[in-house]
Amino acid sequence: MMQGIAGVARDRGWELSADAWGDVSAVGLRREDFSGVIAAISSHEVKRMLRELDLPVVNVGRYWESPRFPRVSSDDLAIGRMVAEHFLERNFWNFGFVGSTALHSSHERRKGFAERLEKLGQGLPQLETPTDWSGSYEQEQSRMEAWLRQLRLPAGVFVVNDILARRVLQCAHRLGLRIPHDCAVVGVGDYELLNEMAPVSLSSVVQAAEQIGQRAGETLDRMLSGEEVGVEPVCFPPIGLVTRQSSDTTAVQNEQLANALEFIRLHLGEMLSVSDVAAGLSVSRRWLEVKFREHLDRSPREMIRQYQMDRARRLLIETDWPMSVVARRCGLRSPERLSTVFRQEHGVPPREYRQAFRGLADR
């Protein structure tokens, strides 16, 4: 988000001060020092202080009680729906949500998640926990472990952000739950370093943070020019969901079928055929076809393709590898074949997909 704001500031010749650099805080703001403010408003107190400044203010947070400032933020309903789709594509039927009453995004993300799952006719177990566990670590850890024990497994658990998602993974690991087979977890924010510090790498929703920062800067520029700006919020949908180990599975109750899916995952780079999977499990190809249709409503070939595309998306986002290496690691014979299949599945070629997530130059 700061990058988006900084780009506008460079174009307009602004001088920026930011709390991220220790330059300023809401408490220390003085009207005579600034022309306008972009703030992640998180409380009534911060809103009151900004209102008293009598300066143009753009809110990039989720606290929007009146009197309202123009607001630019993520579409939290869309984030919740995206995670629900992710779990449904992986055949999950049991779910959970971990939120935080301290986060104004929590309600909307849970709402989007729950609305997409309503048709399944199941309740949504949820846990509210502070984002900051300092001073109450053991208490909150016990609460989270007790909540995880009560889930019907296998379960897809959506967590309001990556900070708490890492806590969920740690607690699940302490309980001996297999991630992602017993409990698949998805967070929000895609904080790369934090996610790599988790017991397993964390799947996460990528927000359109830079675009939000850019729009906030442009909105403030219009206000500084005397233009009337509406207070209807501008919400950017998420860019996508990066699938990592914490949700890289398909939920099934049949043990042999679960073994088949694990075989596909482990041998994906070997240009697998359906016959290879059957031979590796010492079952007939016919048995494999019947069981996949019965439990997953798709063929073994379709599941191999799904795993190939999941891995391709992850490698495109997380590595700088050339397309020839990405294709080989996904079990596809050439970059051309990767491009054809990827375009069929996602509507764009793999290079464009990589650029959309990472802003890389064309490779």
Side-chain angles (χ1 to χ4, degrees):
M1 189 184 296
M2 292 292 294
Q3 287 177 338
I5 295 170
V8 176
R10 282 193 299 271
D11 290 342
R12 308 304 194 272
W14 294 349
E15 179 180 334
L16 281 180
S17 297
D19 61 358
W21 306 325
D23 294 338
V24 68
S25 70
V27 175
L29 283 175
R30 297 190 309 166
R31 188 178 190 279
E32 58 267 29
D33 294 335
F34 300 96
S35 301
V37 180
I38 298 172
I41 300 175
S42 57
S43 69
H44 175 77
E45 183 64 18
V46 172
K47 180 197 69 176
R48 182 189 61 78
M49 286 189 287
L50 292 175
R51 185 181 59 193
E52 290 175 354
L53 282 175
D54 194 28
L55 289 173
V57 174
V58 178
N59 179 17
V60 290
R62 293 173 176 81
Y63 190 89
W64 56 85
E65 294 181 7
S66 60
R68 296 186 298 175
F69 302 111
R71 181 169 66 92
V72 187
S73 68
S74 290
D75 186 337
D76 290 311
L77 287 171
I79 288 174
R81 289 192 292 264
M82 177 176 283
V83 178
E85 292 289 351
H86 178 76
F87 285 138
L88 291 173
E89 288 172 1
R90 281 153 180 76
N91 206 47
F92 280 91
W93 286 84
N94 305 308
F95 308 94
F97 176 79
V98 177
S100 176
T101 52
L103 299 174
H104 290 274
S105 58
S106 189
H107 173 75
E108 293 293 291
R109 291 178 186 178
R110 184 203 63 79
K111 182 179 178 182
F113 187 61
E115 286 178 351
R116 180 62 187 87
L117 301 175
E118 270 183 344
K119 296 177 182 177
L120 299 181
Q122 298 186 23
L124 179 63
Q126 53 187 307
L127 173 70
E128 295 290 335
T129 182
T131 300
D132 182 4
W133 282 14
S134 58
S136 59
Y137 188 93
E138 291 185 2
Q139 176 184 342
E140 293 303 326
Q141 178 178 271
S142 296
R143 289 183 64 235
M144 184 170 283
E145 289 179 4
W147 182 80
L148 287 169
R149 287 192 192 97
Q150 296 173 7
L151 291 179
R152 296 179 60 186
L153 303 180
V157 178
F158 174 32
V159 190
V160 69
N161 62 26
D162 287 352
I163 298 171
L164 287 176
R166 187 167 67 94
R167 301 287 193 204
V168 172
L169 290 176
Q170 290 169 337
C171 289
H173 183 69
R174 284 170 56 91
L175 293 174
L177 296 176
R178 298 173 303 161
I179 306 294
H181 307 294
D182 295 329
C183 181
V185 179
V186 173
V188 180
D190 197 36
Y191 302 108
E192 185 173 355
L193 178 59
L194 184 71
N195 295 350
E196 290 303 325
M197 291 169 62
V200 300
S201 59
L202 175 65
S203 298
S204 185
V205 176
V206 181
Q207 301 175 89
E210 187 167 352
Q211 293 93 318
I212 291 170
Q214 181 177 347
R215 177 64 69 86
E218 292 169 348
T219 302
L220 181 60
D221 184 54
R222 291 165 54 199
M223 296 171 73
L224 293 172
S225 300
E227 184 177 337
E228 287 291 328
V229 175
V231 294
E232 284 301 312
V234 176
C235 297
F236 283 80
I239 294 175
L241 195 157
V242 181
T243 304
R244 299 189 179 94
Q245 187 179 350
S246 70
S247 68
D248 189 9
T249 189
T250 301
V252 292
Q253 301 288 349
N254 183 283
E255 185 174 351
Q256 282 184 297
L257 193 55
N259 291 337
L261 294 172
E262 183 68 4
F263 184 91
I264 292 172
R265 189 181 68 82
L266 292 175
H267 297 272
L268 195 61
E270 301 172 13
M271 299 187 186
L272 276 178
S273 68
V274 178
S275 297
D276 292 332
V277 180
L281 296 170
S282 300
V283 298
S284 70
R285 178 168 179 153
R286 174 62 180 163
W287 181 92
L288 211 59
E289 297 278 358
V290 170
K291 290 299 180 182
F292 269 72
R293 285 294 181 191
E294 178 183 342
H295 291 273
L296 301 173
D297 195 29
R298 65 193 86 174
S299 70
R301 167 46 56 192
E302 289 170 334
M303 285 305 305
I304 292 173
R305 177 61 49 79
Q306 177 182 312
Y307 275 45
Q308 288 173 327
M309 292 300 97
D310 284 347
R311 179 173 293 181
R313 288 197 303 269
R314 186 167 70 250
L315 294 179
L316 290 169
I317 293 166
E318 295 181 350
T319 76
D320 297 331
W321 292 347
M323 294 302 156
S324 58
V325 177
V326 174
R328 187 165 64 249
R329 291 299 182 92
C330 296
L332 296 165
R333 62 181 178 269
S334 68
E336 293 75 22
R337 181 59 179 162
L338 169 65
S339 182
T340 297
V341 175
F342 199 91
R343 188 190 290 269
Q344 289 172 350
E345 295 291 326
H346 301 291
V348 296
R351 283 187 175 84
E352 286 187 20
Y353 186 87
R354 171 178 272 174
Q355 290 165 7
F357 271 89
R358 305 184 62 197
L360 297 177
D362 194 10
R363 293 184 179 273

PDB file of all heavy atoms in Angstrom, residues 185-217:
ATOM      1  N   VAL A 185      -5.767 -24.798   6.015  1.00  0.00           N
ATOM      2  CA  VAL A 185      -5.829 -23.439   6.571  1.00  0.00           C
ATOM      3  C   VAL A 185      -5.466 -22.418   5.495  1.00  0.00           C
ATOM      4  O   VAL A 185      -4.504 -22.601   4.752  1.00  0.00           O
ATOM      5  CB  VAL A 185      -4.862 -23.296   7.769  1.00  0.00           C
ATOM      6  CG1 VAL A 185      -4.915 -21.876   8.338  1.00  0.00           C
ATOM      7  CG2 VAL A 185      -5.198 -24.318   8.851  1.00  0.00           C
ATOM      8  N   VAL A 186      -6.258 -21.339   5.449  1.00  0.00           N
ATOM      9  CA  VAL A 186      -5.985 -20.225   4.540  1.00  0.00           C
ATOM     10  C   VAL A 186      -6.061 -18.922   5.326  1.00  0.00           C
ATOM     11  O   VAL A 186      -7.006 -18.703   6.096  1.00  0.00           O
ATOM     12  CB  VAL A 186      -6.986 -20.184   3.369  1.00  0.00           C
ATOM     13  CG1 VAL A 186      -6.788 -18.914   2.528  1.00  0.00           C
ATOM     14  CG2 VAL A 186      -6.847 -21.417   2.495  1.00  0.00           C
ATOM     15  N   GLY A 187      -5.065 -18.049   5.143  1.00  0.00           N
ATOM     16  CA  GLY A 187      -5.058 -16.738   5.770  1.00  0.00           C
ATOM     17  C   GLY A 187      -5.237 -15.635   4.735  1.00  0.00           C
ATOM     18  O   GLY A 187      -5.592 -15.884   3.581  1.00  0.00           O
ATOM     19  N   VAL A 188      -4.969 -14.394   5.145  1.00  0.00           N
ATOM     20  CA  VAL A 188      -5.096 -13.229   4.267  1.00  0.00           C
ATOM     21  C   VAL A 188      -3.893 -12.316   4.489  1.00  0.00           C
ATOM     22  O   VAL A 188      -3.517 -12.056   5.636  1.00  0.00           O
ATOM     23  CB  VAL A 188      -6.383 -12.434   4.548  1.00  0.00           C
ATOM     24  CG1 VAL A 188      -6.495 -11.223   3.622  1.00  0.00           C
ATOM     25  CG2 VAL A 188      -7.613 -13.323   4.415  1.00  0.00           C
ATOM     26  N   GLY A 189      -3.325 -11.831   3.407  1.00  0.00           N
ATOM     27  CA  GLY A 189      -2.241 -10.866   3.496  1.00  0.00           C
ATOM     28  C   GLY A 189      -1.004 -11.269   2.727  1.00  0.00           C
ATOM     29  O   GLY A 189      -0.254 -10.435   2.253  1.00  0.00           O
ATOM     30  N   ASP A 190      -0.745 -12.574   2.639  1.00  0.00           N
ATOM     31  CA  ASP A 190       0.410 -13.110   1.926  1.00  0.00           C
ATOM     32  C   ASP A 190       1.706 -12.450   2.382  1.00  0.00           C
ATOM     33  O   ASP A 190       2.493 -11.965   1.572  1.00  0.00           O
ATOM     34  CB  ASP A 190       0.236 -12.958   0.411  1.00  0.00           C
ATOM     35  CG  ASP A 190       1.211 -13.874  -0.353  1.00  0.00           C
ATOM     36  OD1 ASP A 190       1.463 -14.984   0.123  1.00  0.00           O
ATOM     37  OD2 ASP A 190       1.717 -13.455  -1.409  1.00  0.00           O
ATOM     38  N   TYR A 191       1.922 -12.461   3.690  1.00  0.00           N
ATOM     39  CA  TYR A 191       3.177 -11.971   4.257  1.00  0.00           C
ATOM     40  C   TYR A 191       4.216 -13.087   4.134  1.00  0.00           C
ATOM     41  O   TYR A 191       4.252 -14.028   4.933  1.00  0.00           O
ATOM     42  CB  TYR A 191       2.988 -11.565   5.712  1.00  0.00           C
ATOM     43  CG  TYR A 191       1.940 -10.497   5.890  1.00  0.00           C
ATOM     44  CD1 TYR A 191       0.703 -10.775   6.466  1.00  0.00           C
ATOM     45  CD2 TYR A 191       2.183  -9.202   5.451  1.00  0.00           C
ATOM     46  CE1 TYR A 191      -0.254  -9.794   6.614  1.00  0.00           C
ATOM     47  CE2 TYR A 191       1.232  -8.206   5.596  1.00  0.00           C
ATOM     48  CZ  TYR A 191       0.009  -8.508   6.182  1.00  0.00           C
ATOM     49  OH  TYR A 191      -0.938  -7.529   6.318  1.00  0.00           O
ATOM     50  N   GLU A 192       5.077 -12.977   3.129  1.00  0.00           N
ATOM     51  CA  GLU A 192       5.925 -14.099   2.725  1.00  0.00           C
ATOM     52  C   GLU A 192       6.794 -14.619   3.860  1.00  0.00           C
ATOM     53  O   GLU A 192       6.848 -15.822   4.111  1.00  0.00           O
ATOM     54  CB  GLU A 192       6.787 -13.676   1.537  1.00  0.00           C
ATOM     55  CG  GLU A 192       7.612 -14.816   0.963  1.00  0.00           C
ATOM     56  CD  GLU A 192       8.336 -14.410  -0.309  1.00  0.00           C
ATOM     57  OE1 GLU A 192       8.113 -13.277  -0.790  1.00  0.00           O
ATOM     58  OE2 GLU A 192       9.128 -15.208  -0.808  1.00  0.00           O
ATOM     59  N   LEU A 193       7.497 -13.738   4.568  1.00  0.00           N
ATOM     60  CA  LEU A 193       8.392 -14.188   5.628  1.00  0.00           C
ATOM     61  C   LEU A 193       7.606 -14.850   6.750  1.00  0.00           C
ATOM     62  O   LEU A 193       7.981 -15.919   7.244  1.00  0.00           O
ATOM     63  CB  LEU A 193       9.197 -13.001   6.174  1.00  0.00           C
ATOM     64  CG  LEU A 193      10.142 -13.312   7.340  1.00  0.00           C
ATOM     65  CD1 LEU A 193      11.170 -14.365   6.933  1.00  0.00           C
ATOM     66  CD2 LEU A 193      10.843 -12.048   7.820  1.00  0.00           C
ATOM     67  N   LEU A 194       6.506 -14.225   7.165  1.00  0.00           N
ATOM     68  CA  LEU A 194       5.676 -14.784   8.229  1.00  0.00           C
ATOM     69  C   LEU A 194       5.165 -16.163   7.841  1.00  0.00           C
ATOM     70  O   LEU A 194       5.166 -17.102   8.651  1.00  0.00           O
ATOM     71  CB  LEU A 194       4.501 -13.848   8.515  1.00  0.00           C
ATOM     72  CG  LEU A 194       3.580 -14.234   9.666  1.00  0.00           C
ATOM     73  CD1 LEU A 194       4.291 -14.041  10.996  1.00  0.00           C
ATOM     74  CD2 LEU A 194       2.305 -13.412   9.632  1.00  0.00           C
ATOM     75  N   ASN A 195       4.750 -16.315   6.597  1.00  0.00           N
ATOM     76  CA  ASN A 195       4.180 -17.581   6.153  1.00  0.00           C
ATOM     77  C   ASN A 195       5.225 -18.685   6.117  1.00  0.00           C
ATOM     78  O   ASN A 195       4.919 -19.855   6.339  1.00  0.00           O
ATOM     79  CB  ASN A 195       3.544 -17.415   4.771  1.00  0.00           C
ATOM     80  CG  ASN A 195       2.349 -16.478   4.819  1.00  0.00           C
ATOM     81  OD1 ASN A 195       1.901 -16.113   5.899  1.00  0.00           O
ATOM     82  ND2 ASN A 195       1.850 -16.082   3.671  1.00  0.00           N
ATOM     83  N   GLU A 196       6.455 -18.336   5.827  1.00  0.00           N
ATOM     84  CA  GLU A 196       7.505 -19.348   5.818  1.00  0.00           C
ATOM     85  C   GLU A 196       7.911 -19.745   7.233  1.00  0.00           C
ATOM     86  O   GLU A 196       8.526 -20.796   7.430  1.00  0.00           O
ATOM     87  CB  GLU A 196       8.729 -18.822   5.052  1.00  0.00           C
ATOM     88  CG  GLU A 196       8.506 -18.695   3.552  1.00  0.00           C
ATOM     89  CD  GLU A 196       8.097 -20.001   2.896  1.00  0.00           C
ATOM     90  OE1 GLU A 196       8.575 -21.073   3.330  1.00  0.00           O
ATOM     91  OE2 GLU A 196       7.278 -19.965   1.957  1.00  0.00           O
ATOM     92  N   MET A 197       7.577 -18.928   8.238  1.00  0.00           N
ATOM     93  CA  MET A 197       7.894 -19.250   9.629  1.00  0.00           C
ATOM     94  C   MET A 197       6.862 -20.193  10.249  1.00  0.00           C
ATOM     95  O   MET A 197       7.058 -20.690  11.358  1.00  0.00           O
ATOM     96  CB  MET A 197       7.970 -17.972  10.454  1.00  0.00           C
ATOM     97  CG  MET A 197       9.165 -17.085  10.105  1.00  0.00           C
ATOM     98  SD  MET A 197       9.060 -15.448  10.877  1.00  0.00           S
ATOM     99  CE  MET A 197       9.087 -15.894  12.617  1.00  0.00           C
ATOM    100  N   ALA A 198       5.771 -20.446   9.562  1.00  0.00           N
ATOM    101  CA  ALA A 198       4.732 -21.345  10.067  1.00  0.00           C
ATOM    102  C   ALA A 198       5.217 -22.801   9.979  1.00  0.00           C
ATOM    103  O   ALA A 198       6.159 -23.112   9.251  1.00  0.00           O
ATOM    104  CB  ALA A 198       3.459 -21.163   9.261  1.00  0.00           C
ATOM    105  N   PRO A 199       4.568 -23.724  10.731  1.00  0.00           N
ATOM    106  CA  PRO A 199       4.971 -25.138  10.670  1.00  0.00           C
ATOM    107  C   PRO A 199       4.934 -25.710   9.259  1.00  0.00           C
ATOM    108  O   PRO A 199       5.751 -26.572   8.921  1.00  0.00           O
ATOM    109  CB  PRO A 199       3.934 -25.821  11.574  1.00  0.00           C
ATOM    110  CG  PRO A 199       3.504 -24.757  12.524  1.00  0.00           C
ATOM    111  CD  PRO A 199       3.534 -23.484  11.735  1.00  0.00           C
ATOM    112  N   VAL A 200       3.979 -25.279   8.453  1.00  0.00           N
ATOM    113  CA  VAL A 200       3.974 -25.580   7.017  1.00  0.00           C
ATOM    114  C   VAL A 200       3.692 -24.264   6.300  1.00  0.00           C
ATOM    115  O   VAL A 200       3.093 -23.353   6.874  1.00  0.00           O
ATOM    116  CB  VAL A 200       2.924 -26.649   6.626  1.00  0.00           C
ATOM    117  CG1 VAL A 200       3.169 -27.965   7.343  1.00  0.00           C
ATOM    118  CG2 VAL A 200       1.513 -26.154   6.910  1.00  0.00           C
ATOM    119  N   SER A 201       4.114 -24.153   5.054  1.00  0.00           N
ATOM    120  CA  SER A 201       3.907 -22.897   4.330  1.00  0.00           C
ATOM    121  C   SER A 201       2.414 -22.623   4.181  1.00  0.00           C
ATOM    122  O   SER A 201       1.620 -23.521   3.910  1.00  0.00           O
ATOM    123  CB  SER A 201       4.594 -22.944   2.968  1.00  0.00           C
ATOM    124  OG  SER A 201       4.106 -24.011   2.184  1.00  0.00           O
ATOM    125  N   LEU A 202       2.034 -21.373   4.363  1.00  0.00           N
ATOM    126  CA  LEU A 202       0.630 -20.984   4.517  1.00  0.00           C
ATOM    127  C   LEU A 202       0.030 -20.473   3.215  1.00  0.00           C
ATOM    128  O   LEU A 202       0.567 -19.553   2.590  1.00  0.00           O
ATOM    129  CB  LEU A 202       0.529 -19.898   5.588  1.00  0.00           C
ATOM    130  CG  LEU A 202      -0.840 -19.269   5.829  1.00  0.00           C
ATOM    131  CD1 LEU A 202      -1.817 -20.300   6.384  1.00  0.00           C
ATOM    132  CD2 LEU A 202      -0.707 -18.079   6.784  1.00  0.00           C
ATOM    133  N   SER A 203      -1.104 -21.030   2.826  1.00  0.00           N
ATOM    134  CA  SER A 203      -1.894 -20.473   1.720  1.00  0.00           C
ATOM    135  C   SER A 203      -2.507 -19.156   2.165  1.00  0.00           C
ATOM    136  O   SER A 203      -2.928 -19.011   3.316  1.00  0.00           O
ATOM    137  CB  SER A 203      -3.005 -21.438   1.311  1.00  0.00           C
ATOM    138  OG  SER A 203      -2.482 -22.662   0.849  1.00  0.00           O
ATOM    139  N   SER A 204      -2.573 -18.190   1.236  1.00  0.00           N
ATOM    140  CA  SER A 204      -3.029 -16.873   1.657  1.00  0.00           C
ATOM    141  C   SER A 204      -3.620 -16.090   0.490  1.00  0.00           C
ATOM    142  O   SER A 204      -3.202 -16.247  -0.655  1.00  0.00           O
ATOM    143  CB  SER A 204      -1.843 -16.091   2.252  1.00  0.00           C
ATOM    144  OG  SER A 204      -2.261 -14.854   2.779  1.00  0.00           O
ATOM    145  N   VAL A 205      -4.594 -15.234   0.817  1.00  0.00           N
ATOM    146  CA  VAL A 205      -5.218 -14.354  -0.155  1.00  0.00           C
ATOM    147  C   VAL A 205      -4.329 -13.133  -0.378  1.00  0.00           C
ATOM    148  O   VAL A 205      -3.856 -12.512   0.586  1.00  0.00           O
ATOM    149  CB  VAL A 205      -6.608 -13.901   0.312  1.00  0.00           C
ATOM    150  CG1 VAL A 205      -7.217 -12.896  -0.670  1.00  0.00           C
ATOM    151  CG2 VAL A 205      -7.538 -15.103   0.486  1.00  0.00           C
ATOM    152  N   VAL A 206      -4.106 -12.800  -1.644  1.00  0.00           N
ATOM    153  CA  VAL A 206      -3.317 -11.620  -2.006  1.00  0.00           C
ATOM    154  C   VAL A 206      -4.268 -10.454  -2.233  1.00  0.00           C
ATOM    155  O   VAL A 206      -5.121 -10.504  -3.117  1.00  0.00           O
ATOM    156  CB  VAL A 206      -2.486 -11.876  -3.279  1.00  0.00           C
ATOM    157  CG1 VAL A 206      -1.651 -10.650  -3.625  1.00  0.00           C
ATOM    158  CG2 VAL A 206      -1.594 -13.098  -3.100  1.00  0.00           C
ATOM    159  N   GLN A 207      -4.125  -9.419  -1.429  1.00  0.00           N
ATOM    160  CA  GLN A 207      -4.957  -8.237  -1.575  1.00  0.00           C
ATOM    161  C   GLN A 207      -4.354  -7.268  -2.595  1.00  0.00           C
ATOM    162  O   GLN A 207      -3.155  -7.295  -2.851  1.00  0.00           O
ATOM    163  CB  GLN A 207      -5.110  -7.540  -0.227  1.00  0.00           C
ATOM    164  CG  GLN A 207      -5.737  -8.419   0.840  1.00  0.00           C
ATOM    165  CD  GLN A 207      -5.769  -7.733   2.187  1.00  0.00           C
ATOM    166  OE1 GLN A 207      -6.729  -7.038   2.514  1.00  0.00           O
ATOM    167  NE2 GLN A 207      -4.727  -7.917   2.970  1.00  0.00           N
ATOM    168  N   ALA A 208      -5.195  -6.399  -3.126  1.00  0.00           N
ATOM    169  CA  ALA A 208      -4.741  -5.417  -4.117  1.00  0.00           C
ATOM    170  C   ALA A 208      -4.181  -4.197  -3.401  1.00  0.00           C
ATOM    171  O   ALA A 208      -4.618  -3.057  -3.614  1.00  0.00           O
ATOM    172  CB  ALA A 208      -5.900  -5.031  -5.040  1.00  0.00           C
ATOM    173  N   ALA A 209      -3.175  -4.416  -2.563  1.00  0.00           N
ATOM    174  CA  ALA A 209      -2.704  -3.367  -1.662  1.00  0.00           C
ATOM    175  C   ALA A 209      -2.124  -2.172  -2.407  1.00  0.00           C
ATOM    176  O   ALA A 209      -2.395  -1.016  -2.060  1.00  0.00           O
ATOM    177  CB  ALA A 209      -1.669  -3.950  -0.695  1.00  0.00           C
ATOM    178  N   GLU A 210      -1.300  -2.431  -3.431  1.00  0.00           N
ATOM    179  CA  GLU A 210      -0.679  -1.311  -4.133  1.00  0.00           C
ATOM    180  C   GLU A 210      -1.731  -0.469  -4.850  1.00  0.00           C
ATOM    181  O   GLU A 210      -1.645   0.769  -4.868  1.00  0.00           O
ATOM    182  CB  GLU A 210       0.366  -1.818  -5.123  1.00  0.00           C
ATOM    183  CG  GLU A 210       1.168  -0.706  -5.760  1.00  0.00           C
ATOM    184  CD  GLU A 210       2.393  -1.205  -6.503  1.00  0.00           C
ATOM    185  OE1 GLU A 210       2.718  -2.400  -6.398  1.00  0.00           O
ATOM    186  OE2 GLU A 210       3.022  -0.386  -7.204  1.00  0.00           O
ATOM    187  N   GLN A 211      -2.726  -1.126  -5.449  1.00  0.00           N
ATOM    188  CA  GLN A 211      -3.799  -0.388  -6.118  1.00  0.00           C
ATOM    189  C   GLN A 211      -4.599   0.447  -5.119  1.00  0.00           C
ATOM    190  O   GLN A 211      -5.032   1.563  -5.427  1.00  0.00           O
ATOM    191  CB  GLN A 211      -4.723  -1.358  -6.861  1.00  0.00           C
ATOM    192  CG  GLN A 211      -4.069  -2.064  -8.028  1.00  0.00           C
ATOM    193  CD  GLN A 211      -3.486  -3.417  -7.629  1.00  0.00           C
ATOM    194  OE1 GLN A 211      -2.876  -3.550  -6.570  1.00  0.00           O
ATOM    195  NE2 GLN A 211      -3.667  -4.416  -8.487  1.00  0.00           N
ATOM    196  N   ILE A 212      -4.801  -0.102  -3.916  1.00  0.00           N
ATOM    197  CA  ILE A 212      -5.512   0.649  -2.877  1.00  0.00           C
ATOM    198  C   ILE A 212      -4.728   1.901  -2.505  1.00  0.00           C
ATOM    199  O   ILE A 212      -5.282   3.000  -2.399  1.00  0.00           O
ATOM    200  CB  ILE A 212      -5.739  -0.245  -1.643  1.00  0.00           C
ATOM    201  CG1 ILE A 212      -6.761  -1.346  -1.972  1.00  0.00           C
ATOM    202  CG2 ILE A 212      -6.206   0.580  -0.446  1.00  0.00           C
ATOM    203  CD1 ILE A 212      -6.863  -2.416  -0.908  1.00  0.00           C
ATOM    204  N   GLY A 213      -3.407   1.742  -2.318  1.00  0.00           N
ATOM    205  CA  GLY A 213      -2.584   2.899  -1.992  1.00  0.00           C
ATOM    206  C   GLY A 213      -2.595   3.941  -3.085  1.00  0.00           C
ATOM    207  O   GLY A 213      -2.684   5.152  -2.813  1.00  0.00           O
ATOM    208  N   GLN A 214      -2.528   3.488  -4.326  1.00  0.00           N
ATOM    209  CA  GLN A 214      -2.539   4.427  -5.451  1.00  0.00           C
ATOM    210  C   GLN A 214      -3.855   5.190  -5.510  1.00  0.00           C
ATOM    211  O   GLN A 214      -3.871   6.419  -5.670  1.00  0.00           O
ATOM    212  CB  GLN A 214      -2.307   3.682  -6.764  1.00  0.00           C
ATOM    213  CG  GLN A 214      -2.292   4.593  -7.982  1.00  0.00           C
ATOM    214  CD  GLN A 214      -1.984   3.818  -9.261  1.00  0.00           C
ATOM    215  OE1 GLN A 214      -1.561   2.673  -9.220  1.00  0.00           O
ATOM    216  NE2 GLN A 214      -2.209   4.447 -10.392  1.00  0.00           N
ATOM    217  N   ARG A 215      -4.981   4.463  -5.372  1.00  0.00           N
ATOM    218  CA  ARG A 215      -6.282   5.145  -5.424  1.00  0.00           C
ATOM    219  C   ARG A 215      -6.440   6.116  -4.250  1.00  0.00           C
ATOM    220  O   ARG A 215      -6.992   7.216  -4.414  1.00  0.00           O
ATOM    221  CB  ARG A 215      -7.418   4.117  -5.404  1.00  0.00           C
ATOM    222  CG  ARG A 215      -8.820   4.734  -5.378  1.00  0.00           C
ATOM    223  CD  ARG A 215      -9.136   5.537  -6.628  1.00  0.00           C
ATOM    224  NE  ARG A 215      -9.267   4.674  -7.771  1.00  0.00           N
ATOM    225  CZ  ARG A 215     -10.406   4.058  -8.128  1.00  0.00           C
ATOM    226  NH1 ARG A 215     -11.512   4.260  -7.412  1.00  0.00           N
ATOM    227  NH2 ARG A 215     -10.448   3.268  -9.184  1.00  0.00           N
ATOM    228  N   ALA A 216      -5.941   5.748  -3.078  1.00  0.00           N
ATOM    229  CA  ALA A 216      -6.026   6.640  -1.925  1.00  0.00           C
ATOM    230  C   ALA A 216      -5.245   7.926  -2.188  1.00  0.00           C
ATOM    231  O   ALA A 216      -5.718   9.028  -1.880  1.00  0.00           O
ATOM    232  CB  ALA A 216      -5.497   5.941  -0.677  1.00  0.00           C
ATOM    233  N   GLY A 217      -4.047   7.785  -2.771  1.00  0.00           N
ATOM    234  CA  GLY A 217      -3.252   8.966  -3.100  1.00  0.00           C
ATOM    235  C   GLY A 217      -3.943   9.847  -4.121  1.00  0.00           C
ATOM    236  O   GLY A 217      -3.964  11.084  -3.994  1.00  0.00           O
TER     237      GLY A 217
END
